[in-house]
Amino acid sequence: MGPGWRAASAALVGGGVAIFAALRRLALAVPQPAAVRSRPGRVWRWRNLLVSFAHSVLAGLWALFSLWHSPELLSDIQDGYSVSGHLLVCFSSGYFIHDTLDIIFNHQSRSSWEYLVHHAMAISAFVSLIITGRFLVAAVLLLLVEVSNIFLTVRMLLKMSNVPSPALYEANKYINLVVYFAFRLAPQAYLTCYFLRHVELQGQGAFLTANLLLLDAMILMYFSRLLRSDFFPSLRKGSAGRDVDGEKFLID
């Protein structure tokens, strides 16, 4: 892609950062449940989750629309291209940059180091896709994970707010498990097999494959935590690795 298009893409990424900065300011106006207000360590996390929820809804539905509108993209994962997919990758890159800055500037790096690693992987991979114009379809497939994050974030918001509605949490728990398989594990497994079988392990292909394999490990780790927390609580470990409020947050 030419320098002009790359400059436009950089502007779009910057616009994404600005959008999520504005959403964070709007989140300040959202009433906080008493359970959040009573524990200062939760206030930042509550606002951060609200912004994450907004990104999940927008990016998840956007990814679904892009693939539904142009299903032929799935036949060319390496070189397939759509303007919608390109804009989505720029938009989500803006979110990951904003969230990284939010974590660092609010001194949450220690408790959120896993998310910083995840975001660094996502940003570096997405920037390489934007620059080269290749593997954009793979990025759109990966962003289907945001459909799963909708319910994962709702799960955490319910836990933090102590909403007295066990039925709502139980329903979301099982929906979350189903969409986790459909929109997180399945696309990830498909792309991993595709990259290992069809992508040359050199240059950008090697870089993206390494990123994908590391992301596989992180996703499986998150999945095991989710299962222990919601379905096998007797297997939960002690407080090691938990945040200032003694809770582990599973959102990415």
Side-chain angles (χ1 to χ4, degrees), residues 80-176:
Y81 180 83
S82 74
V83 173
S84 176
H86 187 100
L87 293 174
L88 171 58
V89 172
C90 292
F91 175 76
S92 286
S93 296
Y95 165 72
F96 290 124
I97 292 171
H98 170 269
D99 199 51
T100 298
L101 297 175
D102 190 29
I103 290 171
I104 293 172
F105 289 159
N106 285 281
H107 311 292
Q108 298 293 325
S109 299
R110 185 175 180 180
S111 63
S112 303
W113 67 268
E114 294 172 8
Y115 303 128
L116 290 178
V117 172
H118 172 273
H119 291 359
M121 292 165 54
I123 293 167
S124 59
F126 283 6
V127 167
S128 79
L129 308 182
I130 292 169
I131 292 174
T132 65
R134 300 184 70 230
F135 297 105
L136 282 168
V137 179
V140 175
L141 280 170
L142 282 177
L143 284 169
L144 288 175
V145 71
E146 296 302 333
V147 178
S148 169
N149 279 344
I150 294 172
F151 300 95
L152 205 54
T153 307
V154 167
R155 169 186 178 273
M156 279 316 311
L157 290 171
L158 289 173
K159 290 191 72 172
M160 290 181 65
S161 59
N162 291 335
V163 175
S165 178
L168 179 59
Y169 186 89
E170 285 292 308
N172 185 76
K173 179 174 77 173
Y174 288 102
I175 295 172
N176 182 35

Side-chain angles (χ1 to χ4, degrees), residues 22 28 36 61 76 80 89 93 109 112 115 126 147 149 151 155 157 179 189 192 201 211 218 221 230 234 248:
L28 298 176
V36 173
L61 295 179
D76 191 359
V89 172
S93 296
S109 299
S112 303
Y115 303 128
F126 283 6
V147 178
N149 279 344
F151 300 95
R155 169 186 178 273
L157 290 171
V179 296
T192 300
L201 294 180
N211 253 8
M218 295 181 73
M221 178 180 66
D230 277 359
S234 61
K248 190 68 189 179

